[in-house]
Amino acid sequence: MQKIGVTGIIGSGKSTVGKLLQESGYPVLDADKAVHQLYETSSLLKQKLVDTFGESILESNAISRKNLASIVFQNQTALKQLENIVYPYLKQVIIDFFKTCEQNKQEFAFLEAALLHKIPEILESLDKIWFISAQENVLLERLVKRGLSFDDAKNRLNLQKKNSSLESSEFLTVSKKKSSWIEVIENDKTPDDLKEKISTLLK
């Protein structure tokens, strides 16, 4: 079974690729959604987060992603604390997902995640990376259409570029070990163009 990571910065279209793959019948784990589900289902994780960040992150006795984000995205130390708490749980979800896919004799299994390099062991296990890319003007246009102001969109892009998976030491280390490991998929044109590229890669 081929384990493939789908990544890219905000607005690039990695979620669109994930949907296309699911519509084609391939198993896809969305890491972001998996974390949100963990917030809802893991009482142990919830307690660790409350112990670390305080009860202000709760709303109706549940983790409020908005309240949590207001703390961690303004503070790099807090963000690192959150990652250290959450990623071991996420790592196990990913391992279980790939194991189930193998048991079901899937040909491909896809992991959609913005920050793959944050879990080096998972990154190392992937057979291929699909990096979804687009020109900055296209990314900005997409983010503004989502409702962000131009300045907010620009700031988010600049922040994610600094933390880009491809620029991380973890990515560079694995890339040296695995030739042709990264497949860059340009997503500047139409949805049909993207669909055709994905179809070609799968063949």
Side-chain angles (χ1 to χ4, degrees):
M1 185 184 77
Q2 291 283 301
K3 293 184 281 188
I4 300 175
V6 179
T7 191
I9 65 174
I10 186 170
S12 61
K14 62 183 178 297
S15 295
T16 302
V17 171
K19 288 176 184 175
L20 286 172
L21 291 166
Q22 286 181 315
E23 288 170 2
S24 298
Y26 295 102
V28 180
L29 176 66
D30 182 330
D32 192 43
K33 288 182 180 177
V35 169
H36 298 165
Q37 190 170 14
L38 283 167
Y39 288 162
E40 295 173 3
T41 59
S42 175
S43 57
L44 187 57
L45 174 59
K46 174 184 169 183
Q47 191 58 54
K48 285 184 178 181
L49 292 173
V50 170
D51 290 344
T52 303
F53 300 108
E55 294 196 356
S56 66
I57 66 169
L58 296 177
E59 201 168 273
S60 302
N61 202 37
I63 298 291
S64 165
R65 288 183 277 138
K66 182 179 178 182
N67 293 353
L68 187 56
S70 69
I71 295 172
V72 301
F73 290 128
Q74 304 298 325
N75 185 320
Q76 285 297 312
T77 301
L79 180 59
K80 188 66 178 175
Q81 285 179 302
L82 176 65
E83 290 172 351
N84 289 340
I85 294 169
V86 171
Y87 282 140
Y89 289 84
L90 177 59
K91 176 184 170 183
Q92 190 57 53
V93 170
I94 295 169
I95 289 171
D96 292 344
F97 166 72
F98 282 139
K99 185 177 180 180
T100 299
C101 291
E102 285 184 318
Q103 289 172 344
N104 292 336
K105 301 188 185 304
Q106 296 287 347
E107 184 180 5
F108 299 103
F110 294 88
L111 170 62
E112 178 195 328
L115 300 172
L116 285 171
H117 62 289
K118 295 290 186 177
I119 313 179
E121 301 95 322
I122 297 297
L123 182 67
E124 188 93 39
S125 74
L126 297 173
D127 299 297
K128 195 86 174 176
I129 298 292
W130 287 3
F131 185 82
I132 318 303
S133 178
Q135 296 296 318
E136 184 168 326
N137 64 308
V138 176
L139 296 172
L140 285 170
E141 184 181 338
R142 288 172 183 166
L143 295 181
V144 169
K145 281 183 179 178
R146 290 186 191 179
L148 292 178
S149 70
F150 181 84
D151 288 340
D152 282 345
K154 187 81 172 174
N155 289 336
R156 288 204 187 191
L157 280 180
N158 288 338
L159 180 62
Q160 288 213 359
K161 282 180 180 178
K162 288 179 183 177
N163 296 311
S164 171
S165 293
L166 288 184
E167 301 300 321
S168 71
S169 59
E170 294 88 352
F171 252 74
L172 294 172
T173 299
V174 179
S175 294
K176 289 177 182 177
K177 297 178 185 176
K178 301 183 180 184
S179 61
S180 303
W181 185 54
I182 297 174
E183 183 77 47
V184 177
I185 302 171
E186 298 290 347
N187 181 28
D188 291 325
K189 298 179 183 178
T190 65
D192 284 342
D193 177 71
L194 178 62
K195 190 172 184 177
E196 187 176 333
K197 287 179 178 178
I198 298 303
S199 178
T200 300
L201 281 172
L202 289 169
K203 288 175 183 175

